[in-house]
Amino acid sequence: MQRRNFLAASAGALVAPRAIQAANGSVTVLLNEQIGTISPLVHGHFVEHLGGVVYDGIWVGEGSKIPNIAGIRKSLVDALRKIQAPLFRWPGGCFADSYDWRDGIGPREKRPKRVNFWERSGALAKMEGGKAKYDPNEFGTNEFMRFCQEAGGKPYIAANLRSGTARDFNDWVDYCNAPSGATTLGTQRGTAPFNVEFWGIGNESWGCGGDFTPEEYSVEFRRFTSWVPRFNVPLKFIPAGPNGPDLNWSRGFFQALVRKSPGLLNRVWGWALHYYCGTAGGPVEFSNDEYYELLTRAVRMEDLITSHWTVMGEYDREHRVKFAIDEWGAWHRAGSEVAPHHLFGQIGTMRDALIAALTLDIFHRHADKVAMANVAQLINCIHSLFIAHEDKFLVTPNYHVFDMYKDHHNGKAVRSVFAAPRRGKLGVFDGSVSVQGNKLVLTCAHTELSGPLPVEITLTGGTARSASALVLAADSPKAHNTFDRPENVKPRALKVEVSGDKLRLEMPPASVARVSVELG
Ligand code: AHR
């Protein structure tokens, strides 16, 4: 509620002017000015037991006619491998703070059915039953780990701080990481250790995760992270960070932690800022003004990163703690979901793809600050890369952005100056650049609807030997994929001219591009 009120209140102030002069865009790439390494983890994902994310989305069951790998939807695994998905956060979200991990282990037929955290939300409130309302626990820790292994990403587990105990948390670490045969729980696991490094300590502890004050939460974080069994796994703890612009949460948490002992900063690996830019209009139907309004709200992410970073630096002068922005995305209102139980399910349009591109480019430009980020949520939910129902499956335009942007993984982000007019706080043209050896990757978004944008790229400190480009564009920002037209929106090749230190291309209206350059 707090977040919704904030978004509604700020919406009016963000409506942008109507007309922007057609102009050229230019980028100057400063090849010798490195920002930091782009961790693949900033392209991470989020999986919650919510609506159709796990049941129907990921888990179809071993006996299903839908092609599956040990019960996991195969088409999803294949598509995730293609984009080199690096990381999956699970089991929530708000659900995490009501989850008892013991419910999801052992023989599946013996696992208890539990009421899901979200049972009273949206259409679920009126439903009699179903797995979104009463969780059968068919998908538990071992199934999640199998999913990560098949899809090729690392696991990131959110522990239950609101209704669980520090003991439960320690036991879950033991179950996941103890060497086989070393402990009773490690033996119960029945497989090789999972070696889970990333552990979230509660979720949104200012809200659904317990309604704590930052000072109270700081105490809980200390208690939960004291003397956790290590089993030689480098555990990385991620405390629940702020709700969007709430600087008091960042200040209160770090102040209380450092007041107890500055050395406690070593316990914090990432600071879990959450930011949903909300919606404007409907998921698929919106006006041009609503299109610009939502993009403008999405790029507030950059201000959130810099403002919280400043506060964090007051207590962590060496900036040991980076961001783990483990929930972000555009959260539209209900109405476009493909099945009633897909709570928060929404069709992803080209507008959402632009939001994904603008956001990932912000993370790359702040590669020195952002160590991890997880788009919410993977499938059948908010800002998803996939929609699936029973045997039907599609990739959304967002998916293509993650696919095009994967070449940044492990690249050195370099400074770049994107020059073009602005529509209020929204750049008409913005992006990021990274370099690995003699390969340069530039990704960018052109946000104007009115016409194409000729772009000139100038390399400072190097020349281009050759280049190729891909573009994601459609005839409307509302364009999206459907089960009947799954390839309605997909990338195509874009012409790029190369001459010494200059490259030229033209971006269609409302488009996302990737330029791959071989440096001379
Ligand atoms: O992603 C949906 C919900 O949004 C998550 O469960 C919660 O953490 C956030 O409020």
Short mmCIF file of all heavy atoms in Angstrom, two decimals, residues 3 46 48 50 89 93-95 118 203-204 208 274 276 327 331 344 376-377 382, ligand 1:
data_model
loop_
_atom_site.label_atom_id
_atom_site.label_comp_id
_atom_site.label_asym_id
_atom_site.label_seq_id
_atom_site.Cartn_x
_atom_site.Cartn_y
_atom_site.Cartn_z
N ARG A 3 3.80 1.67 -1.08
CA ARG A 3 4.46 1.88 -2.36
C ARG A 3 3.46 2.40 -3.37
O ARG A 3 3.73 3.32 -4.12
CB ARG A 3 5.05 0.56 -2.84
CG ARG A 3 5.53 0.68 -4.25
CD ARG A 3 6.45 -0.45 -4.65
NE ARG A 3 6.02 -1.73 -4.21
CZ ARG A 3 6.81 -2.62 -3.63
NH1 ARG A 3 8.05 -2.35 -3.44
NH2 ARG A 3 6.33 -3.77 -3.27
N PHE A 46 13.87 -13.88 -10.38
CA PHE A 46 13.17 -14.02 -9.10
C PHE A 46 11.99 -14.98 -9.30
O PHE A 46 11.20 -14.81 -10.23
CB PHE A 46 12.70 -12.62 -8.66
CG PHE A 46 11.81 -12.59 -7.46
CD1 PHE A 46 11.94 -13.49 -6.42
CD2 PHE A 46 10.83 -11.61 -7.35
CE1 PHE A 46 11.11 -13.43 -5.31
CE2 PHE A 46 10.00 -11.53 -6.25
CZ PHE A 46 10.13 -12.46 -5.23
N GLU A 48 8.90 -16.80 -7.12
CA GLU A 48 8.16 -16.86 -5.86
C GLU A 48 7.01 -17.84 -5.98
O GLU A 48 6.43 -18.01 -7.06
CB GLU A 48 7.62 -15.45 -5.52
CG GLU A 48 6.79 -15.41 -4.24
CD GLU A 48 6.59 -14.01 -3.69
OE1 GLU A 48 6.96 -13.03 -4.36
OE2 GLU A 48 6.05 -13.90 -2.57
N LEU A 50 3.90 -17.85 -6.02
CA LEU A 50 2.89 -16.80 -6.16
C LEU A 50 2.17 -17.05 -7.48
O LEU A 50 2.82 -17.13 -8.54
CB LEU A 50 3.61 -15.44 -6.16
CG LEU A 50 2.80 -14.15 -6.20
CD1 LEU A 50 3.68 -12.97 -5.80
CD2 LEU A 50 2.18 -13.87 -7.53
N ARG A 89 16.45 -16.18 -7.50
CA ARG A 89 16.09 -15.95 -6.09
C ARG A 89 14.77 -16.68 -5.81
O ARG A 89 13.83 -16.61 -6.61
CB ARG A 89 15.91 -14.45 -5.86
CG ARG A 89 15.42 -14.08 -4.48
CD ARG A 89 15.32 -12.55 -4.38
NE ARG A 89 14.93 -12.11 -3.06
CZ ARG A 89 13.82 -11.41 -2.81
NH1 ARG A 89 12.99 -11.10 -3.78
NH2 ARG A 89 13.54 -11.03 -1.59
N GLY A 93 10.40 -12.90 -2.00
CA GLY A 93 9.09 -12.36 -1.84
C GLY A 93 8.47 -12.59 -0.46
O GLY A 93 9.04 -13.18 0.47
N CYS A 94 7.30 -11.97 -0.36
CA CYS A 94 6.54 -12.06 0.88
C CYS A 94 6.32 -13.51 1.29
O CYS A 94 6.27 -13.83 2.49
CB CYS A 94 5.20 -11.35 0.73
SG CYS A 94 5.35 -9.58 0.44
N PHE A 95 6.19 -14.41 0.31
CA PHE A 95 5.97 -15.81 0.62
C PHE A 95 7.11 -16.36 1.50
O PHE A 95 6.88 -17.20 2.38
CB PHE A 95 5.88 -16.62 -0.69
CG PHE A 95 5.80 -18.10 -0.49
CD1 PHE A 95 4.56 -18.73 -0.29
CD2 PHE A 95 6.94 -18.89 -0.49
CE1 PHE A 95 4.48 -20.11 -0.09
CE2 PHE A 95 6.87 -20.26 -0.30
CZ PHE A 95 5.64 -20.87 -0.10
N TRP A 118 -0.36 -15.74 -0.43
CA TRP A 118 -1.13 -14.88 -1.33
C TRP A 118 -2.59 -15.32 -1.49
O TRP A 118 -3.30 -14.81 -2.35
CB TRP A 118 -0.46 -14.86 -2.72
CG TRP A 118 0.91 -14.23 -2.67
CD1 TRP A 118 2.10 -14.88 -2.68
CD2 TRP A 118 1.22 -12.84 -2.58
NE1 TRP A 118 3.14 -13.99 -2.61
CE2 TRP A 118 2.61 -12.71 -2.56
CE3 TRP A 118 0.44 -11.67 -2.54
CZ2 TRP A 118 3.26 -11.47 -2.48
CZ3 TRP A 118 1.08 -10.44 -2.46
CH2 TRP A 118 2.48 -10.36 -2.43
N ASN A 203 12.63 -10.66 3.85
CA ASN A 203 12.24 -9.92 2.65
C ASN A 203 11.35 -8.75 3.05
O ASN A 203 10.43 -8.92 3.85
CB ASN A 203 11.46 -10.86 1.71
CG ASN A 203 10.78 -10.09 0.58
OD1 ASN A 203 11.44 -9.68 -0.37
ND2 ASN A 203 9.48 -9.89 0.68
N GLU A 204 11.62 -7.61 2.50
CA GLU A 204 10.80 -6.41 2.76
C GLU A 204 10.42 -6.36 4.25
O GLU A 204 9.23 -6.32 4.61
CB GLU A 204 9.58 -6.37 1.83
CG GLU A 204 9.99 -6.25 0.38
CD GLU A 204 8.90 -5.87 -0.60
OE1 GLU A 204 7.71 -5.87 -0.24
OE2 GLU A 204 9.24 -5.54 -1.75
N CYS A 208 5.70 -6.61 4.55
CA CYS A 208 5.20 -7.98 4.73
C CYS A 208 6.17 -8.86 5.51
O CYS A 208 5.78 -9.88 6.07
CB CYS A 208 4.86 -8.61 3.38
SG CYS A 208 6.30 -8.88 2.31
N HIS A 274 14.47 -2.53 -3.28
CA HIS A 274 13.36 -2.98 -4.14
C HIS A 274 12.73 -1.76 -4.80
O HIS A 274 12.45 -0.77 -4.13
CB HIS A 274 12.27 -3.69 -3.32
CG HIS A 274 12.64 -5.09 -2.93
ND1 HIS A 274 11.76 -5.97 -2.33
CD2 HIS A 274 13.81 -5.78 -3.08
CE1 HIS A 274 12.37 -7.12 -2.12
NE2 HIS A 274 13.61 -7.03 -2.55
N TYR A 276 9.66 -1.07 -7.78
CA TYR A 276 8.71 -1.32 -8.87
C TYR A 276 8.27 0.04 -9.39
O TYR A 276 7.87 0.90 -8.60
CB TYR A 276 7.49 -2.09 -8.36
CG TYR A 276 7.79 -3.53 -7.98
CD1 TYR A 276 8.06 -3.88 -6.66
CD2 TYR A 276 7.81 -4.53 -8.95
CE1 TYR A 276 8.34 -5.19 -6.31
CE2 TYR A 276 8.07 -5.85 -8.60
CZ TYR A 276 8.34 -6.17 -7.29
OH TYR A 276 8.60 -7.48 -6.94
N GLU A 327 14.47 -7.11 -6.38
CA GLU A 327 13.14 -7.02 -7.01
C GLU A 327 13.05 -5.70 -7.77
O GLU A 327 13.23 -4.63 -7.15
CB GLU A 327 12.01 -7.11 -5.98
CG GLU A 327 11.85 -8.49 -5.38
CD GLU A 327 10.64 -8.62 -4.46
OE1 GLU A 327 9.61 -7.95 -4.71
OE2 GLU A 327 10.74 -9.40 -3.50
N TRP A 331 4.93 -3.03 -12.66
CA TRP A 331 3.85 -3.84 -12.04
C TRP A 331 2.52 -3.28 -12.52
O TRP A 331 2.04 -2.28 -12.01
CB TRP A 331 3.98 -3.74 -10.52
CG TRP A 331 3.14 -4.68 -9.74
CD1 TRP A 331 1.96 -5.25 -10.11
CD2 TRP A 331 3.42 -5.18 -8.42
NE1 TRP A 331 1.49 -6.06 -9.12
CE2 TRP A 331 2.36 -6.04 -8.07
CE3 TRP A 331 4.44 -4.98 -7.51
CZ2 TRP A 331 2.31 -6.68 -6.83
CZ3 TRP A 331 4.40 -5.62 -6.28
CH2 TRP A 331 3.34 -6.47 -5.96
N PHE A 344 -1.03 -11.41 -10.46
CA PHE A 344 -0.07 -10.41 -10.99
C PHE A 344 0.48 -10.80 -12.37
O PHE A 344 1.49 -10.23 -12.83
CB PHE A 344 1.11 -10.16 -10.03
CG PHE A 344 0.74 -9.88 -8.60
CD1 PHE A 344 1.55 -10.30 -7.55
CD2 PHE A 344 -0.42 -9.18 -8.29
CE1 PHE A 344 1.21 -10.04 -6.22
CE2 PHE A 344 -0.78 -8.92 -6.98
CZ PHE A 344 0.05 -9.36 -5.93
N ALA A 376 11.60 -8.98 -11.32
CA ALA A 376 10.43 -9.64 -10.74
C ALA A 376 9.33 -9.69 -11.80
O ALA A 376 8.97 -8.64 -12.31
CB ALA A 376 9.95 -8.86 -9.52
N GLN A 377 8.87 -10.88 -12.01
CA GLN A 377 9.34 -12.22 -11.67
C GLN A 377 9.47 -13.04 -12.96
O GLN A 377 8.90 -12.67 -13.98
CB GLN A 377 8.37 -12.90 -10.73
CG GLN A 377 8.19 -12.16 -9.41
CD GLN A 377 7.54 -13.05 -8.33
OE1 GLN A 377 7.45 -14.26 -8.47
NE2 GLN A 377 7.08 -12.42 -7.26
N ILE A 382 4.76 -10.41 -12.74
CA ILE A 382 5.16 -9.03 -13.01
C ILE A 382 6.38 -9.04 -13.94
O ILE A 382 7.32 -9.79 -13.71
CB ILE A 382 5.56 -8.34 -11.68
CG1 ILE A 382 4.45 -8.47 -10.64
CG2 ILE A 382 5.98 -6.91 -11.89
CD1 ILE A 382 4.93 -8.28 -9.22
O1 AHR B 1 6.90 -9.59 -6.45
C1 AHR B 1 5.70 -9.55 -5.72
C2 AHR B 1 5.89 -9.03 -4.31
O2 AHR B 1 6.35 -7.71 -4.36
C3 AHR B 1 6.92 -9.73 -3.48
O3 AHR B 1 6.46 -10.88 -2.88
C4 AHR B 1 7.26 -8.70 -2.45
O4 AHR B 1 8.57 -8.82 -1.96
C5 AHR B 1 7.01 -7.39 -3.17
O5 AHR B 1 6.22 -6.54 -2.42
#
